[in-house]
């Protein structure tokens, strides 16, 4: 029997993005769910049988063979967060106290029984469905221009594992086109699957016939919108983090003003007779300057240069002192450190 999803014309009027009809999406989810729960139920039955047999023998843990460094070792199997138990609720034994008063704990080496967690199976089936449906929608939207309009969706659910049919639409100029598509799926089981039980994987065929697709596709637009949204979110996060720096940034004018005062005082002192004598003594205290002459002119040149720089900072930082709006105006992602602010002050 073939189930159809066509002839919902009222729902597709002026629709520009293809979405798989709910009936087909729900069919995919239900099929995955039924197959997944069957596989998990079988796994739970096997585990319950194995653990019951172990308990009947009086054993308290399971073992497995592990090959390492050229030899095989027998190890105890640990079941906490075990990948094969992700869709099950497991009851574990409690540890047995070795002495009176010792506290017991959950013994993750000794599971006793398990039941299927159908809620988790349902969630996984929905996630798999969303993945498969998303791939099909992307495939069709890759043939749709942003100016195209969908007028009908005529898809059929086949008796095997496939959906096929076509999507009808018109271009901005009113010319008709059809996008023929077929989605085929199959299943991977056990260790070959992504969840160790059952995973659906899909393949596609599609082509557009009739009026040619012009300009950007719906898929391209969606991809660009997604990239822009991620970029905007990343920038918003960066701005939010940057705000944490404001408390340290807003006090920089006062810090630079005080720093400039110290630099001015320091270098003016270095130009005095006592300052020059101190520099000369320091020059000759270095063994590698023995036999050389202290260059007073060079000393005065570089000290005056440093002095001029400090005075310039002192003069230009005044416009930012006690002027939070002016400081706020230059604060941002590209200006949030002391060096950044000093550059702004110097060039203001």
């Amino acid at each position: 029997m073939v189930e159809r999803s066509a002839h919902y014309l009222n729902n597709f009027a002026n629709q520009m993005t293809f979405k798989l009809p709910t009936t087909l999406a729900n069919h995919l989810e239900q099929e995955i769910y039924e197959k997944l729960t069957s596989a998990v139920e079988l796994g739970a039955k096997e585990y319950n049988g194995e653990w019951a047999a172990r308990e009947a023998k009086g054993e308290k843990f399971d073992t497995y063979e592990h090959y390492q460094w050229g030899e095989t070792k027998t190890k105890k199997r640990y079941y906490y967060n075990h990948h094969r138990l992700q869709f099950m609720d497991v009851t574990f034994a409690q540890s047995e106290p070795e002495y009176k008063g010792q506290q017991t704990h959950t013994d993750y080496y000794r599971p006793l029984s398990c039941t299927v967690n159908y809620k988790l199976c349902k969630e996984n089936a929905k996630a798999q469905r969303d993945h498969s449906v998303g791939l099909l929608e992307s495939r069709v939207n890759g043939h749709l221009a942003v100016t195209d309009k969908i007028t009908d969706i005529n898809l059929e659910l086949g008796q095997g594992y496939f959906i096929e049919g076509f999507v009808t639409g018109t271009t901005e100029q009113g010319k008709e086109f059809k996008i023929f598509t077929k989605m085929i799926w199959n299943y991977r089981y056990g260790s070959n699957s992504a969840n160790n039980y059952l995973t659906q994987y899909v393949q596609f065929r599609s082509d557009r016939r009739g009026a040619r697709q012009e300009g950007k596709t719906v898929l391209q637009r969606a991809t660009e919108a997604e990239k822009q949204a991620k970029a905007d979110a990343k920038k918003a996060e960066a701005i939010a983090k940057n705000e944490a720096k404001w408390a340290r940034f807003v006090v920089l004018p006062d810090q630079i003003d005080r720093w400039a005062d110290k630099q001015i005082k320091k270098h003016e002192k270095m130009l005095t007779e006592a300052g020059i004598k101190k520099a000369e003594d320091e020059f000759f205290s270095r063994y590698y300057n023995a036999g050389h002459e202290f260059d007073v002119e060079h000393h005065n040149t570089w000290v005056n240069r440093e002095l001029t720089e400090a005075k310039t900072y002192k003069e230009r930082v005044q416009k930012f002192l006690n002027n939070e709006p002016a400081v706020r105006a230059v604060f941002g992602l590209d200006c949030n450190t002391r060096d950044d602010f000093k550059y702004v002050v110097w060039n203001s």
Side-chain angles (χ1 to χ4, degrees):
M1 180 178 178
V2 174
E3 181 183 344
R4 296 183 63 83
S5 63
H7 313 308
Y8 298 100
L9 293 176
N10 291 335
N11 295 336
F12 306 129
N14 298 323
Q15 181 177 329
M16 292 181 288
T17 302
F18 170 73
K19 302 292 289 183
L20 185 69
T22 304
T23 52
L24 293 177
N26 288 344
H27 172 84
L28 283 176
E29 180 179 341
Q30 186 61 27
E31 181 178 289
I32 297 169
Y33 175 72
E34 291 176 359
K35 290 182 176 295
L36 177 59
T37 53
S38 294
V40 177
E41 286 170 351
L42 179 60
K45 182 179 179 180
E46 291 175 351
Y47 274 127
N48 284 327
E50 292 172 3
W51 297 339
R54 181 200 63 216
E55 292 295 312
K57 291 188 291 185
E59 298 175 353
K60 298 179 180 180
F61 54 86
D62 296 318
T63 61
Y64 66 97
E65 300 299 317
H66 179 69
Y67 182 80
Q68 185 179 22
W69 308 115
E71 60 179 327
T72 300
K73 296 182 179 179
T74 300
K75 291 193 172 186
K76 295 167 62 176
R77 188 174 299 280
Y78 190 61
Y79 285 98
Y80 181 75
N81 278 344
H82 194 276
H83 59 277
R84 290 279 296 169
L85 302 177
Q86 60 178 305
F87 299 117
M88 301 177 193
D89 295 320
V90 183
T91 300
F92 290 92
Q94 290 294 305
S95 62
E96 298 178 358
E98 298 177 0
Y99 54 86
K100 185 177 180 180
Q102 183 185 24
Q103 291 185 343
T104 61
H105 60 272
T106 302
D107 187 352
Y108 291 110
Y109 289 103
R110 191 182 177 187
L112 299 177
S113 63
C114 62
T115 57
V116 178
N117 188 320
Y118 291 98
K119 181 181 177 182
L120 292 180
C121 290
K122 189 70 174 177
E123 291 174 356
N124 186 268
K126 184 179 184 302
Q128 290 194 53
R129 179 209 67 179
D130 290 344
H131 177 70
S132 298
V133 169
L135 291 175
L136 175 59
E137 291 175 348
S138 296
R139 190 69 179 236
V140 175
N141 286 323
H143 294 291
L144 282 170
V146 294
T147 53
D148 291 339
K149 293 180 181 179
I150 296 174
T151 58
D152 190 17
I153 295 178
N154 194 317
L155 295 175
E156 298 178 345
L157 177 62
Q159 293 179 346
Y161 294 153
F162 68 89
I163 293 172
E164 67 177 345
F166 55 87
V167 176
T168 306
T170 57
T171 65
E172 192 174 21
Q173 293 75 31
K175 297 180 180 179
E176 188 176 88
F177 63 85
K178 288 184 178 181
I179 300 171
F180 289 82
T181 187
K182 184 173 185 178
M183 180 176 86
I184 307 168
W185 64 88
N186 213 321
Y187 294 94
R188 291 191 175 97
Y189 297 87
S191 59
N192 291 323
S193 66
N195 60 21
N196 293 288
Y197 282 99
L198 177 138
T199 305
Q200 184 184 75
Y201 68 97
V202 292
Q203 295 176 300
F204 303 94
R205 299 179 197 147
S206 62
D207 67 287
R208 174 168 169 150
R209 304 172 192 175
R212 293 179 58 186
Q213 173 244 315
E214 300 288 347
K216 287 187 176 181
T217 68
V218 171
L219 181 60
Q220 287 174 320
R221 182 181 64 179
T223 301
E224 290 173 356
E226 183 180 359
K227 287 182 179 179
Q228 186 60 49
K230 288 181 179 179
D232 292 343
K234 187 175 182 180
K235 184 176 181 180
E237 182 182 1
I239 291 174
K241 289 182 179 179
N242 194 53
E243 283 301 309
K245 301 179 181 179
W246 169 247
R248 296 192 299 272
F249 190 87
V250 71
V251 299
L252 287 179
D254 183 61
Q255 290 181 0
I256 292 175
D257 183 62
R258 288 186 282 110
W259 166 82
D261 283 338
K262 291 180 181 179
Q263 291 295 101
I264 292 170
K265 183 178 180 180
K266 170 185 173 181
H267 289 90
E268 284 180 341
K269 186 176 180 180
M270 292 175 68
L271 292 173
T272 63
E273 184 175 342
I276 294 174
K277 181 65 170 63
K278 181 181 178 181
E280 183 177 6
D281 291 343
E282 290 179 351
F283 177 83
F284 287 117
S285 68
R286 301 182 182 93
Y287 73 91
Y288 49 78
N289 285 328
H292 292 80
E293 183 180 351
F294 176 68
D295 191 338
V296 177
E297 183 178 351
H298 173 72
H299 168 79
N300 290 340
T301 297
W302 77 260
V303 172
N304 273 304
R305 185 169 61 246
E306 295 293 317
L307 179 60
T308 300
E309 179 180 309
K311 288 181 176 180
T312 301
Y313 275 115
K314 174 72 176 178
E315 176 188 350
R316 296 181 181 178
V317 81
Q318 298 306 307
K319 67 181 70 175
F320 296 101
L321 281 174
N322 302 314
N323 189 355
E324 185 171 318
V327 181
R328 186 75 197 189
V330 300
F331 177 70
L333 294 176
D334 56 349
C335 182
N336 53 28
T337 66
R338 180 186 176 93
D339 287 341
D340 294 336
F341 185 67
K342 284 183 70 176
Y343 178 81
V344 170
V345 170
W346 183 264
N347 291 281
S348 62

